[in-house]
Amino acid sequence: MSKQPIHLEDRGLKGARLFSPTAGRNSPVIAAVLSEALPTNANVLEIASGTGEHAAAACKARPDITWQPSDPDPDSRLSQNAWREYCPAQMKPSLALDTTAPKWWADLNGF
């Protein structure tokens, strides 16, 4: 049996970076809203970060924030870490969070 993707659309690939048509369309809008809504020096934990495009866009819009991506999918985490190359000081290496596991948050500090 082949592995079923978690995402619901066809994604492009450049190196390890995945590209989502949906994220490509809505990243600028999401980054703009977060830019206004997040407090100065925010420390953000993103659950199920997908390709990592939203994280990179938010970090570009707000150089003062720190972003922690996560995803249960190994390919998505590889992509998030590849997008991290654009903002390594802000974006932390992706975590393999499984929010269905008991106390999945236990080792998360600062969120």
Side-chain angles (χ1 to χ4, degrees):
M1 180 180 279
S2 66
K3 176 183 154 189
Q4 294 295 315
I6 292 176
H7 58 84
L8 302 175
E9 63 187 358
D10 289 331
R11 292 179 169 176
L13 182 67
K14 183 176 182 183
R17 284 191 322 267
L18 293 168
F19 293 87
S20 161
T22 304
R25 287 189 301 271
N26 63 28
S27 283
V29 175
I30 290 172
V33 169
L34 289 174
S35 184
E36 291 182 19
L38 292 173
T40 302
N41 298 318
N43 194 19
V44 178
L45 170 64
E46 183 181 21
I47 303 294
S49 304
T51 63
E53 292 171 87
H54 290 134
C59 288
K60 182 179 177 184
R62 284 285 300 276
D64 63 301
I65 65 174
T66 302
W67 200 277
Q68 176 62 73
S70 71
D71 210 285
D73 178 56
D75 292 334
S76 293
R77 289 193 308 275
L78 285 173
S79 179
Q80 294 157 23
N81 289 331
W83 280 101
R84 183 175 177 259
E85 294 173 12
Y86 292 105
C87 45
Q90 293 173 265
M91 222 172 133
K92 296 181 179 184
S94 182
L95 298 176
L97 292 184
D98 177 359
T99 59
T100 65
K103 297 190 179 185
W104 61 267
W105 64 88
D107 294 330
L108 295 173
N109 295 316
F111 297 101

